[in-house]
Amino acid sequence: MSLANKVSSPKDVPEKSSANAGKAKQDQDSQLFWFLLKCVSGYSLVGHITRFCAFKIIGADVYMGTVQESLVVIAVYVPKAFLLVYIFLKYHAFGTSLLYLGIAGMQLLYFSQDYNTLAVVLVMLVSASTFGLTSSGALKEETPTVRSTRRHILVAAAIMFFLLLGWQDSLNPRSWINFGDPASEEVILTTSNSSAVMDVDNPSTHPIPILVSNAHREFNTILDRQSSTLAAAAEEYKSRYGLPPPPRFDLWFEYAKEKDVQIIDDYDIILDSIQPFWSLKPAKLRERVREALGYNENALIALLIRDGKIAKLKGGLPWQQEAILGMTRSFVHMLPDMDLAFNAHDEPRIVVPHDELSQMISHARSGSMRKALENEHLRNDFSARPNDMTNGKRIQEYSVSRFNEYAHQNTWVPSRLSCSPNSPARDFTEASGDNTTAYATGELGFIYNTTAFSDVCLSPSLKGRHAFFDRPNAFSVAHDLIPIFSESKISSFQDIPFPSLWHWYGKLFSNTTSDMHLKNEELYEEDEDPTWENKTNILWWRGSTTGGYSREGGWRRQHRQRVVRKFNGLDKTKILREPDLNDTTEWSPASVRRNEYKHMADVKFSGICQCDPGDCEAQQEFFDVAPFANVSSTWQHKHLLDMDGNAFSARFYGLMRSRSLVYKMAVFREWHDEWLKPWLHYIPLSLHGDEYLEVIRYFSEEEEGQELARRLASTKREWAMKALRREDMEAWFFRLLLEYGRVMQDDREEIGYPG
């Protein structure tokens, strides 16, 4: 029966006493009050379910900050605010309503960890107590004046509460989800490079074929959804990034299609890197680039583009300059005037503290980026050179630098500055362990999410396991946001990644002398690479002790030494026994000695370097150092290992083009990460190494594993020939420089491809 039917008509009911009438009215009001309060609660629940479903179906990283997100926020909060204010005004049910607001605020706090919200909630609850509420939420007996005063104060508090929520959400809608990371509120767009972990822990099936199957399915989905027309690409761009495409996006699309680029839509890494720069004035950004390039000791390569031509190229080695010229030659005429600063070091350079970085991202999204999206009259071109830019003939000199030198020192503390204070890496008690559930599965710890694995903020153990954080060979860092282009980066750094000059150049180099020089070897020679059937069935690696500088026994904490020790250790580890060998129906862990399987891997150092004399001698004695091997020796083996050195691995593209299966341990991130799928294009390895033996044992001994390895090696090679070409690197770099060119323009809110 509806509430309307419960209320009797005056014509049908005899007149009652005023007391009874008042009681009936009170009962009616009470029922209506509770009905309205249920509406508020139900509407809130529906709103949160809607947001949750949007996060799961569309993807939080894509969904947040879009027009759809804003509409949902309005739909959730505005009706609820009116309902609650109506309850306040009509029924004076302050206690019950405030208790509801308190619970809602606490729920918000749980997701956002926002202490401002907590403060508002506590103030409102204290106010409710101060103004005479009983424990049941009813009002004490009081004068009409006191009641009226309290009502006005609490209504004002309620309105301020909802205004605060709306303001907070407009600035930082991601705070509604606890992403547990990184640095990482700056990484707001990148889709995790993961293979779904569903059913991996099913003991009746080996985890590896499940991880491979999931990766294959997910990658096919990515390929199938790529835009085929300019209109579709522009619409996907707006939907994905909450921005219009940059000016001359149509020229880039035509360029990409002409070069047969396979990926048209997935450039999240570019937007992740460029987004914080939208918070600073373009003139300030240009000034910071000039400062960086003008200080000679900053180890930067300067590239000045004027009138569609390279006006000046200074710094770096000859081959690096040649690579920059070659990489930009086919599209430089379509770029606006700009100054670029390339990092000449292997190691990244920029770490912005978390509080500043969070403010920058919020300011960028609520300010310039939003204005650009809302502009309906965009101009599809760049503006003329601003007055503060020279003609590019010379570089202005500066006598001060924002960079600080930390070479051969521990860098963990400065490297984690951009991590959230609530992340494991920033735990001041140093009691937090790695969040391994975010990236590894099973007792052996197979990596299923390489994005989470390489997230420094989730893994405090990296400070004692990776050489970059122990004593990097070079480390010149700034904590201001400066546009610096680096070939790779750690997750917590704000460098702008770009395709490696090493990879584009396609040569191998030697650092055995003080000056890096070109060897007479190509990165990959196809005629030296045997067929799969003619390769040796072992895992192979040769390399040097790069990664960091070893002093006072520091090599024991460095990543390359850890990996080589794991493969050559005499200790025990675990493998998975198949069901018919352990009298069960499950694959179960079994303890074995590593040296019983030493025939499966030949992983050795061929050079000891970057160390004090005593540490060099200690490593020479500890490791079984093998003779130097040329590149052609690599291709003779079915299974090839790759891992970080001082930064990214220069040999990786050669391995990817080979007919062998590639295994990779990497914490450094590169431009191609979202174009390569782990467990499909390479086999991801952890740094702890518990899964090493089982991974290689499965692919080299199990019958189904051997066949799967052959197929994966072929799939990997085929994709590398399509997506890791020079043309792909150039197309990616072209799109990056269009984004960079836009954010550096004074009228960036008025320019863009209108679609």
Side-chain angles (χ1 to χ4, degrees):
M1 180 180 295
S2 67
L3 287 175
N5 292 333
K6 289 183 178 181
V7 182
S8 301
S9 169
K11 296 180 180 179
D12 301 327
V13 179
E15 184 176 353
K16 299 181 179 180
S17 67
S18 59
N20 290 338
K23 181 66 167 61
K25 181 64 167 63
Q26 186 178 12
D27 290 342
Q28 178 183 345
D29 282 351
S30 177
Q31 294 177 40
L32 184 57
F33 162 71
W34 286 110
F35 173 76
L36 290 173
L37 193 59
K38 290 176 181 177
C39 287
V40 172
S41 302
Y43 199 86
S44 175
L45 180 62
V46 170
H48 285 295
I49 291 175
T50 301
R51 290 166 65 87
F52 179 80
C53 292
F55 298 153
K56 292 297 185 182
I57 297 173
I58 303 176
D61 292 332
V62 175
Y63 179 69
M64 303 306 286
T66 62
V67 175
Q68 294 90 333
E69 159 67 6
S70 302
L71 292 176
V72 170
V73 170
I74 294 172
V76 169
Y77 289 116
V78 173
K80 186 165 63 174
F82 277 114
L83 282 170
L84 282 172
V85 171
Y86 178 80
I87 292 173
F88 282 173
L89 291 173
K90 186 170 180 61
Y91 299 107
H92 306 175
F94 303 113
T96 305
S97 300
L98 282 174
L99 182 59
Y100 174 84
L101 284 176
I103 294 173
M106 293 294 184
Q107 185 181 25
L108 173 65
L109 175 66
Y110 175 77
F111 284 103
S112 69
Q113 299 176 350
D114 184 83
Y115 297 101
N116 292 327
T117 303
L118 175 61
V120 172
V121 171
L122 291 179
V123 167
M124 293 183 68
L125 292 177
V126 171
S127 300
S129 175
T130 302
F131 283 96
L133 297 180
T134 67
S135 59
S136 64
L139 293 176
K140 297 178 180 178
E141 292 295 326
E142 54 193 16
T143 65
T145 302
V146 173
R147 186 182 302 117
S148 176
T149 301
R150 185 180 57 256
R151 180 164 68 249
H152 288 123
I153 291 175
L154 293 180
V155 167
I159 293 174
M160 291 179 64
F161 181 82
F162 282 101
L163 287 176
L164 174 65
L165 293 187
W167 174 73
Q168 173 192 338
D169 200 71
S170 67
L171 290 182
N172 191 13
R174 267 177 66 89
S175 65
W176 286 86
I177 301 181
N178 182 8
F179 286 83
D181 170 283
S184 278
E185 292 175 24
E186 93 276 17
V187 185
I188 66 161
L189 298 171
T190 303
T191 303
S192 292
N193 201 345
S194 64
S195 295
V197 72
M198 184 184 302
D199 295 332
V200 169
D201 291 326
N202 180 1
S204 63
T205 306
H206 197 285
I208 289 179
I210 299 176
L211 288 165
V212 171
S213 177
N214 290 340
H216 192 273
R217 183 181 64 254
E218 292 168 5
F219 189 69
N220 282 342
T221 300
I222 292 174
L223 292 181
D224 291 342
R225 63 169 166 75
Q226 295 302 307
S227 299
S228 58
T229 66
L230 174 60
E235 186 60 33
E236 172 64 19
Y237 185 105
K238 293 178 183 177
S239 175
R240 181 185 287 248
Y241 304 125
L243 265 178
R248 302 178 183 173
F249 182 77
D250 50 340
L251 299 182
W252 174 85
F253 181 85
E254 181 180 350
Y255 180 94
K257 284 296 185 181
E258 180 182 336
K259 301 293 184 180
D260 197 25
V261 174
Q262 302 295 303
I263 303 295
I264 297 297
D265 299 323
D266 292 70
Y267 293 80
D268 298 357
I269 291 174
I270 293 179
L271 267 294
D272 286 346
S273 303
I274 295 295
Q275 180 176 230
F277 295 99
W278 281 84
S279 65
L280 297 177
K281 296 291 185 183
K284 174 61 67 176
L285 294 174
R286 296 193 297 268
E287 178 185 0
R288 291 187 177 184
V289 174
R290 285 197 301 273
E291 287 180 7
L293 293 176
Y295 190 77
N296 290 330
E297 304 303 316
N298 278 342
L300 297 171
I301 303 172
L303 176 65
L304 278 55
I305 297 176
R306 299 292 186 270
D307 301 321
K309 299 177 182 179
I310 293 179
K312 192 170 189 63
L313 179 57
K314 179 182 178 181
L317 298 171
W319 73 266
Q320 291 174 312
Q321 292 191 6
E322 184 179 344
I324 290 174
L325 290 171
M327 196 184 299
T328 57
R329 183 176 292 115
S330 62
F331 59 81
V332 66
H333 60 283
M334 292 183 273
L335 297 177
D337 289 1
M338 61 174 71
D339 297 341
L340 297 98
F342 294 94
N343 178 16
H345 287 166
D346 294 333
E347 299 83 355
R349 309 289 294 274
I350 306 296
V351 184
V352 179
H354 180 269
D355 56 342
E356 292 183 24
L357 185 60
S358 298
Q359 293 179 50
M360 287 176 175
I361 293 172
S362 295
H363 184 72
R365 293 194 311 193
S366 63
S368 295
M369 294 178 69
R370 177 172 292 181
K371 291 179 181 178
L373 179 63
E374 295 173 350
N375 191 333
E376 298 180 355
H377 304 286
L378 294 171
R379 187 177 73 257
N380 187 29
D381 206 353
F382 294 98
S383 300
R385 182 192 314 156
N387 294 329
D388 60 1
M389 290 183 69
T390 68
N391 59 11
K393 300 299 182 183
R394 61 181 295 272
I395 296 174
Q396 180 181 351
E397 293 186 2
Y398 284 78
S399 59
V400 295
S401 173
R402 296 174 187 257
F403 292 91
N404 298 297
E405 297 287 341
Y406 288 91
H408 302 178
Q409 300 180 51
N410 187 285
T411 61
W412 175 250
V413 172
S415 294
R416 66 177 184 169
L417 281 179
S418 64
C419 296
S420 166
N422 300 312
S423 66
R426 291 282 300 278
D427 179 6
F428 66 90
T429 69
E430 298 187 344
S432 295
D434 295 356
N435 184 7
T436 56
T437 57
Y439 59 80
T441 182
E443 184 174 339
L444 274 60
F446 297 98
I447 300 297
Y448 70 87
N449 188 327
T450 54
T451 304
F453 166 69
S454 63
D455 181 356
V456 171
C457 303
L458 296 179
S459 298
S461 71
L462 286 173
K463 67 181 177 182
R465 290 185 174 181
H466 199 286
F468 176 79
F469 306 108
D470 182 60
R471 279 190 174 94
N473 196 48
F475 192 69
S476 176
V477 66
H479 298 308
D480 294 318
L481 188 64
I482 307 172
I484 300 295
F485 291 81
S486 293
E487 294 167 291
S488 66
K489 57 181 277 189
I490 294 292
S491 68
S492 55
F493 282 67
Q494 283 68 61
D495 299 58
I496 303 172
F498 77 102
S500 166
L501 301 177
W502 295 72
H503 293 154
W504 187 92
Y505 206 73
K507 299 279 187 178
L508 281 182
F509 298 86
S510 170
N511 60 355
T512 55
T513 63
S514 58
D515 294 321
M516 198 176 296
H517 62 274
L518 186 65
K519 291 182 180 180
N520 189 26
E521 288 185 289
E522 295 290 334
L523 191 60
Y524 174 72
E525 292 282 5
E526 185 170 3
D527 57 3
E528 296 179 348
D529 186 10
T531 62
W532 176 265
E533 292 73 19
N534 292 322
K535 293 174 181 280
T536 305
N537 190 26
I538 63 170
L539 178 72
W540 194 86
W541 183 84
R542 291 291 185 273
S544 60
T545 56
T546 58
Y549 189 89
S550 181
R551 175 173 293 158
E552 298 177 352
W555 57 271
R556 295 181 177 87
R557 300 185 298 273
Q558 298 182 354
H559 59 279
R560 283 197 166 188
Q561 288 85 339
R562 287 182 60 87
V563 172
V564 173
R565 287 209 316 269
K566 281 288 186 180
F567 276 108
N568 294 280
L570 301 177
D571 59 330
K572 288 187 175 183
T573 188
K574 290 183 178 180
I575 63 172
L576 296 180
R577 296 288 191 190
E578 57 185 315
D580 59 348
L581 295 181
N582 57 22
D583 299 325
T584 70
T585 60
E586 302 178 350
W587 287 84
S588 57
S591 181
V592 298
R593 290 196 171 277
R594 291 184 188 273
N595 61 357
E596 296 176 5
Y597 295 84
K598 63 181 181 181
H599 60 281
M600 293 184 180
D602 186 2
V603 176
K604 295 179 180 178
F605 285 119
S606 56
I608 305 296
C609 61
Q610 294 182 189
C611 44
D612 281 351
D615 281 39
C616 288
E617 292 175 7
Q619 293 182 81
Q620 195 78 37
E621 294 177 2
F622 183 88
F623 295 106
D624 179 16
V625 180
F628 172 80
N630 56 30
V631 178
S632 60
S633 302
T634 305
W635 318 128
Q636 310 307 312
H637 311 92
K638 290 184 177 180
H639 309 276
L640 300 177
L641 176 63
D642 189 50
M643 64 178 116
D644 290 341
N646 287 334
F648 66 96
S649 168
R651 71 184 77 181
F652 182 54
Y653 280 26
L655 303 182
M656 291 295 291
R657 295 188 183 105
S658 76
R659 298 182 175 93
S660 302
L661 182 60
V662 175
Y663 302 71
K664 187 172 183 63
M665 192 292 294
V667 173
F668 280 89
R669 295 178 173 180
E670 300 180 65
W671 75 273
H672 56 236
D673 285 351
E674 59 191 323
W675 286 17
L676 300 179
K677 194 69 177 175
W679 293 106
L680 181 63
H681 301 131
Y682 64 91
I683 307 303
L685 297 179
S686 71
L687 192 48
H688 62 72
D690 293 345
E691 86 285 19
Y692 289 177
L693 181 55
E694 176 57 19
V695 170
I696 186 59
R697 189 202 67 79
Y698 177 81
F699 281 122
S700 62
E701 282 198 345
E702 294 291 336
E703 183 176 349
E704 65 173 0
Q706 293 182 52
E707 174 57 24
L708 186 57
R710 184 191 64 79
R711 295 206 315 267
L712 289 176
S714 177
T715 299
K716 172 266 306 176
R717 171 180 162 84
E718 180 181 352
W719 180 245
M721 296 298 188
K722 291 181 178 179
L724 297 181
R725 307 165 301 158
R726 280 186 171 181
E727 293 88 343
D728 301 298
M729 294 182 245
E730 292 164 7
W732 200 94
F733 194 36
F734 182 12
R735 179 153 165 171
L736 169 61
L737 293 187
L738 289 181
E739 296 285 0
Y740 176 77
R742 171 170 62 176
V743 81
M744 302 293 281
Q745 296 247 310
D746 292 321
D747 57 350
R748 61 192 179 187
E749 299 161 7
E750 301 172 7
I751 61 176
Y753 180 70

